[in-house]
Amino acid sequence: MAGCAAKPPKSLVTPLPAVTEQPVKPAQSQQPVRGVWLATVSRLDWPPVTSVNADSALRIRLQQKALSDKLDKLKSLGINTVFFQVKPDGTALWPSKILPWSDTLTGKIGEDPGYDPLQFMLDEAHRRGMKVHAWFNPYRVSVNTKPSTVAELNRTLPLHPASVFVLHHDWIRTAGDRFVLDPGIPEARDWITSIVAEVVAHYPVDGVQFDDYFYAESPGGALDDSLTFARYGAGFNAKADWRRHNTQQLIEQVARTIKQLKPQVEFGVSPAGVWRNLSHDPAGSDTRGAAAYDEAYADTRRWVQQGLLDYIAPQLYWPFARKAARYDVLANWWADVVKPTHTRLYIGVALYKVGEPSKNEPDWSIQGGVPELKRQLDLNDAVPQINGTVLFREGYLDQPQTREAVSYLISRWGS
């Protein structure tokens, strides 16, 4: 691996930025969030694939124009908050001292794109009166484990900063056919926290969001953390409890760090929609879906109860008619969870399913999916504890199958 070619430079966990006194945050306006996730992993929503191989000046123009055009469209749609993926994997969309530049921008990990995409997004969105939450995938290092990907990660060795893949190869595991960090290693969690701190300290972001990839395994691609458990798992009878403890530790320290740096910056998580099923836990929802508690080792309900999050945005990606995970059952369950707390609830809605034929969920394609979408938004507006809706994801606003739904959203939300 990397160590055979050259000795990696010594890298300690990056120290957190100095804490400065921050002004007290004014009372929040009660305007509901109308949000959208804008994904950069694998260039799903941005930047345009055609821009990557252009010469530097043209690439910058194409990427900036594409982002400006998207924000114009989102503004006309009534969107007021963009969840912008700034850390899609082990790379960054800002000039980080901890992570190399993202290859989504130039096609090559570590290559300077010639501008700061995060600052550009913040400037453009704020100029339009829209908020930006920096969306981080905490543990993912790569989207595959191909030999070409290994070679590309190894080639970052001379860079400053190099990839975590070569700097801390002992933190790297494979899970679900991806390279990931082992969440059980305390130094790896500290490292992730320092990345969030870098952004919060240096950029006027309105919020920070983690997605649902904590322990991200697949049936054929489990994460082998048996040695980590042997080293750090003392006091835990079950590995599952220890894993949940690790995820809890990350959430606690990131929440604490953000509030120390800038109390006005919101911290939220967008977990899988089901915390636990009623069949496993009397406090769970009347559902039969994959549960964050049992599969991602994320006790998301507890984080709300403990006040660690400013908001939670569960991904309720099912229609009212889906018996295993009914939209209304889950929305009302989450509303009950946040009711006695100060955590706001935004509901993640499956724009990517709207207009798509589906044997198990036919309602998404009836009349272009508009009646189902309307029903979900009506419920979100009717339940007092629901403070907003977030669409997954931006790229689907331009797809033929969502045309009727987009027209409906303009009529409902548009200015």
Side-chain angles (χ1 to χ4, degrees):
M1 299 299 287
C4 303
K7 187 173 172 57
K10 186 170 175 57
S11 166
L12 301 173
V13 172
T14 307
L16 299 179
V19 175
T20 54
E21 279 297 314
Q22 297 293 329
V24 176
K25 182 181 177 182
Q28 271 247 317
S29 69
Q30 293 306 301
Q31 186 188 25
V33 162
R34 292 170 179 163
V36 69
W37 279 290
L38 200 156
T40 59
V41 65
S42 303
R43 306 185 188 95
L44 289 176
D45 296 328
W46 182 88
V49 177
T50 51
S51 71
V52 175
N53 294 321
D55 68 71
S56 179
L58 178 59
R59 184 180 65 232
I60 293 169
R61 282 202 306 276
L62 290 171
Q63 292 183 359
Q64 292 185 344
K65 183 177 189 311
L67 204 50
S68 295
D69 288 350
K70 284 179 183 295
L71 289 170
D72 284 339
K73 178 166 186 172
L74 293 174
K75 176 77 174 170
S76 70
L77 206 65
I79 296 293
N80 57 28
T81 310
V82 181
F83 298 84
F84 181 50
Q85 193 173 37
V86 298
K87 181 187 176 293
D89 44 32
T91 63
L93 274 82
W94 72 96
S96 173
K97 291 183 167 59
I98 309 168
L99 300 170
W101 277 109
S102 178
D103 56 321
T104 62
L105 301 161
T106 63
K108 186 177 175 186
I109 297 175
E111 185 174 324
D112 188 335
Y115 73 110
D116 182 340
L118 174 54
Q119 188 63 59
F120 182 80
M121 166 59 110
L122 287 163
D123 290 344
E124 292 294 304
H126 287 164
R127 198 159 56 77
R128 291 167 174 80
M130 300 160 77
K131 292 184 175 179
V132 177
H133 288 229
W135 163 22
F136 296 78
N137 184 293
Y139 290 115
R140 184 165 58 208
V141 176
S142 70
V143 295
N144 61 60
T145 57
K146 294 174 184 173
S148 57
T149 298
V150 173
E152 190 177 8
L153 292 165
N154 283 341
R155 278 196 294 273
T156 68
L157 186 57
L159 302 180
H160 296 284
S163 171
V164 67
F165 186 83
V166 293
L167 288 180
H168 297 291
H169 199 74
D170 54 321
W171 298 354
I172 306 293
R173 307 286 180 265
T174 57
D177 194 33
R178 296 175 171 131
F179 290 122
V180 298
L181 296 178
D182 187 335
I185 298 174
E187 293 82 5
R189 299 193 297 267
D190 292 345
W191 183 79
I192 292 164
T193 305
S194 72
I195 293 165
V196 175
E198 183 181 54
V199 167
V200 172
H202 296 117
Y203 291 90
V205 294
D206 301 289
V208 164
Q209 185 182 97
F210 281 174
D211 54 34
D212 56 331
Y213 283 83
F214 295 106
Y215 280 87
E217 300 177 297
S218 61
L223 186 146
D224 181 4
D225 55 359
S226 52
L227 292 177
T228 317
F229 181 48
R231 181 174 180 186
Y232 296 107
F236 291 91
N237 294 324
K239 187 194 273 191
D241 291 335
W242 168 75
R243 282 183 165 191
R244 275 184 288 274
H245 170 76
N246 296 332
T247 313
Q248 175 85 17
Q249 294 290 101
L250 178 71
I251 296 298
E252 284 182 10
Q253 66 190 61
V254 169
R256 186 170 60 245
T257 299
I258 291 170
K259 295 309 171 192
Q260 284 175 338
L261 288 167
K262 290 181 183 173
Q264 72 272 27
V265 172
E266 298 181 6
F267 178 42
V269 173
S270 172
V274 177
W275 168 70
R276 292 200 91 186
N277 294 296
L278 190 59
S279 56
H280 282 76
D281 192 311
S285 51
D286 188 7
T287 50
R288 298 186 302 282
Y293 182 98
D294 300 291
E295 303 200 18
Y297 302 92
D299 193 347
T300 50
R301 175 174 168 264
R302 184 183 183 194
W303 306 340
V304 171
Q305 292 171 333
Q306 292 180 326
L308 294 171
L309 306 178
D310 293 295
Y311 68 91
I312 193 160
Q315 301 167 22
L316 307 193
Y317 292 165
W318 306 280
F320 274 70
R322 187 65 191 249
K323 289 192 172 67
R326 282 182 61 105
Y327 183 89
D328 55 333
V329 167
L330 281 162
N332 285 307
W333 183 89
W334 279 105
D336 286 340
V337 169
V338 302
K339 193 180 288 184
T341 76
H342 295 294
T343 304
R344 288 183 297 284
L345 174 61
Y346 313 143
I347 304 291
V349 166
L351 180 66
Y352 72 97
K353 290 184 174 180
V354 170
E356 286 283 359
S358 167
K359 184 180 170 187
N360 291 326
E361 300 179 358
D363 290 14
W364 290 119
S365 56
I366 294 170
Q367 294 175 45
V370 172
E372 178 63 34
L373 182 62
K374 178 182 184 301
R375 206 173 168 194
Q376 296 190 7
L377 297 179
D378 285 349
L379 178 68
N380 294 359
D381 287 348
V383 177
Q385 289 77 28
I386 297 176
N387 304 113
T389 301
V390 189
L391 306 173
F392 186 81
R393 54 185 169 75
E394 187 276 335
Y396 284 91
L397 292 168
D398 291 322
Q399 298 301 313
Q401 71 270 19
T402 62
R403 196 169 293 135
E404 291 173 72
V406 169
S407 296
Y408 172 71
L409 286 170
I410 291 170
S411 70
R412 182 169 183 139
W413 287 351
S415 46

